[in-house]
Structure formats: structure tokens, C-alpha cells
């Protein structure tokens, strides 16, 4: 079983999966079966230089999706965390969401440029990552979790419920399009 945890940058993917990773390590998780690894894909991309170029306008690396897919072949039971995670072969996709104005504020707080923060807020309002996930994996495999007013522990608990199979697919329940008006 492989689970993608994806979403627009700033939605809380790394924080929620780190908490899930702690729960798994401490034996506090309700997830049954063999060990489940948490793969922070952006770290793999960076450490193993699995990118083809650097976009000077966005100051970001262009991922080599084929090389990342080859690298992920090593993981049979994993939670794969990244804004790119939905582009790979997985059984379920969790899309973390955040109200765009709040998301923009989070990105600015962590040092992103105003242009990049605004672009990501617009992307979130337009459901870009969600639409890609549904297109690649189907409605029956996609789960949305709104992180806007939730503490990271609650988000991690919802994530654990998806991984354990205790939550139904929920793509299309979160709507931020009003942000664009």
C-alpha cells in the first residue's frame, strides 16, 4: 500500500506526515500490518539531485519525475509526502487544503516571495492539485483534508484514518473558489 500526501505548498504536508511518522515509530498508530515508511519526497529530490534544472523565475527545482518514480519503486508500503506525490503510482491520495488567504500568509511567513505566495494561493483556490489527483487516480481514491483551522495533530489523525482505511474518499468537498472574487 502506498499513500500520497499532496497539496499546494504550505498546506501542512510535512508537519502532518512528521507527526504520523512519530506515531508509527512510537507504536501509537492504529495502522495494522508491516512497517509503513514515510518518504519526504522533496528531501529525496534534494539529497539525490533528482531534478533536471532550476526555474530562475520561481527559484525552484524542476523535478525529474521519471527518476523519482524509479526511486519510489523501492517502497512497497509508504506514505509519500510532497506537492508532487500525486504524480506517482499510489493506492490512495490525500490532498491537504488550506483557505487561500491563510495559505498565502503561511508562505510569506516562511520567506516565499509575494509573487510565489500569490501564485500558490490562486492555485489552491482553483483546486489545481486536487484536479490533477482526481484526473490521475479517480474520485474513488482521493481524500481531502482541510487544514485551515485545525491543529497539526488533528490533521495527522485524519491522515492516519485514511491510511488505515477508516475514512471514505472525499474529493470535491472543499471549496475556496470565492477567494478569486
Amino acid at each position: 500500500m502506498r499513500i500520497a500526501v499532496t497539496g499546494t505548498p504550505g498546506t501542512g504536508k510535512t508537519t502532518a506526515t512528521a507527526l504520523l511518522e512519530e506515531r508509527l515509530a512510537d507504536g501509537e498508530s492504529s495502522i495494522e500490518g508491516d512497517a509503513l515508511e514515510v518518504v519526504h519526497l522533496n528531501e529525496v529530490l534534494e539529497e539525490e539531485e533528482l531534478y533536471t534544472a532550476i526555474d530562475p523565475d520561481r527559484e525552484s527545482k524542476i523535478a525529474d519525475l521519471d527518476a523519482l518514480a524509479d526511486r519510489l519503486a523501492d517502497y512497497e508500503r509508504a506514505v509519500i509526502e510532497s506537492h508532487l506525490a500525486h504524480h506517482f503510482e499510489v493506492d490512495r491520495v490525500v490532498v491537504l487544503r488550506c483557505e487561500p488567504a491563510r495559505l498565502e500568509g503561511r508562505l510569506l511567513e516562511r520567506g516565499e516571495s509575494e509573487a510565489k505566495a500569490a501564485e500558490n494561493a490562486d492555485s489552491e483556490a482553483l483546486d489545481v492539485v486536487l484536479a490533477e489527483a482526481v484526473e490521475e487516480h479517480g474520485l474513488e481514491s482521493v481524500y481531502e483534508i482541510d487544514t485551515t483551522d485545525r491543529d497539526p495533530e488533528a490533521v495527522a489523525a485524519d491522515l492516519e484514518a485514511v491510511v488505515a482505511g477508516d475514512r471514505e474518499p472525499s474529493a470535491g468537498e472543499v471549496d475556496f473558489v470565492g477567494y478569486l472574487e
Side-chain angles (χ1 to χ4, degrees), residues 125-143:
L126 292 169
D127 300 334
V128 171
V129 173
L130 176 66
E132 291 175 353
V134 168
E135 183 177 324
E136 290 192 38
H137 300 281
L139 282 170
E140 68 282 355
S141 299
V142 179
Y143 304 73

Side-chain angles (χ1 to χ4, degrees), residues 50-64:
L50 299 177
Y51 52 90
T52 58
I54 298 176
D55 181 335
D57 296 331
R58 290 190 172 89
E59 299 175 6
S60 61
K61 294 176 175 69
I62 310 294
D64 183 338

